[in-house]
Amino acid sequence: MSLKRLNIRGISYSQTQNGAYALILKESGGNRQLPIVIGAFEAQSIAIALEKEISPPRPLTHDLFKSFAERYGIVVKQVIIHKLVDGVFYSSLICEKDKIEEIIDARTSDAIALAVRFKAPVFTYENILDEAGIQQQITSDKDLVDEDDDSDDLIEELINTPLDEQNDYSNLSMDELNKMLKEAVSNENYELAASIRDEISKR
C-alpha cells in the first residue's frame, strides 16, 4: 500500500466531543483532509510546538520525551498512521539509534506532538485516506490554527489557557458525563477521560 504524506492544516474545536479538539491533517499534493479528535492537553502541546517562539517555563511531557531521546541518541525519523478501527487512529513512531530502526506504538495525538518537535514527516496509507479523508473544508479558515499563522486566536487560547480551565463540565448531567467518559476511553483520550472521571468523583 502506498504512503501519503500529511501536513498539519490546523486545529479546530471538535464538533463531536465537548472539551476536545480536531487536528486537521491534509494530504500533500491533494485535497483530502484527515480529521483526528484529540484532547485539550495534546492540542495545547501541538499548538505550543507549532508556535516556535513560545517556550513553556517547564518542559511539557512531549518536550521531556524529546530531551530524553536526544540525550540517548534516539531520533524520531517519521510517524505513520497505519490503522483505523472504529474511528480510532493507530500510529507508529519510526525511531533510529546507531543506524538501527525501531518501531514504537503510539497514540496518534502523541505521535504528532513528537513529530512536530523532531521535524519528522507524517504519513498514512491510501486506504485510510479513502476511508476517513474528506474533500471539503471541515470548518472555516478563520477557525483553524494554521502552522504559519502566529496571530490566530485559537492557538493563543490553547497556549495561554490553563488545562484545568479548558474543560467546564458544570452544566452537564451525570448521564452526559458518563457518556463522554465512555467515548473518551474508546478514543484512547485518557487525559480527557481522567478529567471527566474527576468531575464525576467530585459529585
Side-chain angles (χ1 to χ4, degrees), residues 19-203:
Y21 295 83
L23 173 67
I24 313 302
L25 303 176
K26 184 178 183 295
E27 68 172 323
S28 181
N31 295 320
R32 287 175 295 184
Q33 297 181 115
L34 202 61
I36 300 175
V37 176
I38 62 176
F41 172 79
E42 292 83 3
Q44 186 180 62
S45 181
I46 292 170
I48 287 174
L50 290 174
E51 182 64 77
K52 299 172 180 64
E53 295 182 2
I54 296 294
S55 179
R58 299 295 294 155
L60 300 178
T61 302
H62 299 108
D63 297 321
L64 175 61
F65 182 97
K66 182 173 186 287
S67 297
F68 185 88
E70 288 179 336
R71 182 67 58 89
Y72 289 96
I74 301 168
V75 177
V76 175
K77 303 291 289 185
Q78 62 183 11
V79 167
I80 298 178
I81 303 171
H82 61 83
K83 188 167 65 173
L84 173 61
V85 179
D86 296 330
V88 178
F89 293 90
Y90 293 78
S91 296
S92 295
L93 298 171
I94 311 302
C95 303
E96 184 180 275
K97 175 179 169 61
D98 298 331
K99 298 184 179 179
I100 298 174
E101 276 195 358
E102 297 285 349
I103 300 175
I104 300 175
D105 183 44
R107 294 188 307 161
T108 299
S109 54
D110 291 327
I112 300 297
L114 291 172
V116 175
R117 286 164 168 79
F118 280 93
K119 297 181 173 57
V122 179
F123 298 92
T124 193
Y125 290 106
E126 181 75 35
N127 65 308
I128 292 179
L129 274 173
D130 287 340
E131 181 178 351
I134 59 175
Q135 294 284 349
Q136 71 271 26
Q137 289 269 72
I138 295 184
T139 184
S140 63
D141 287 342
K142 67 183 177 62
D143 292 329
L144 289 171
V145 178
D146 192 82
E147 188 173 73
D148 299 319
D149 185 3
D150 294 339
S151 63
D152 191 279
D153 291 339
L154 183 52
I155 197 168
E156 292 295 331
E157 180 181 336
L158 276 168
I159 290 170
N160 295 321
T161 303
L163 286 173
D164 58 359
E165 294 180 10
Q166 292 184 6
N167 297 321
D168 181 10
Y169 305 116
S170 58
N171 295 324
L172 298 177
S173 68
M174 286 295 289
D175 286 342
E176 290 172 322
L177 288 171
N178 282 307
K179 181 180 178 181
M180 286 176 59
L181 178 61
K182 184 177 179 181
E183 289 178 353
V185 172
S186 175
N187 289 322
E188 296 185 342
N189 191 344
Y190 300 119
E191 282 78 17
L192 178 60
S195 177
I196 297 169
R197 179 205 60 206
D198 290 345
E199 176 66 23
I200 293 173
S201 297
K202 281 192 291 185
R203 296 189 187 184

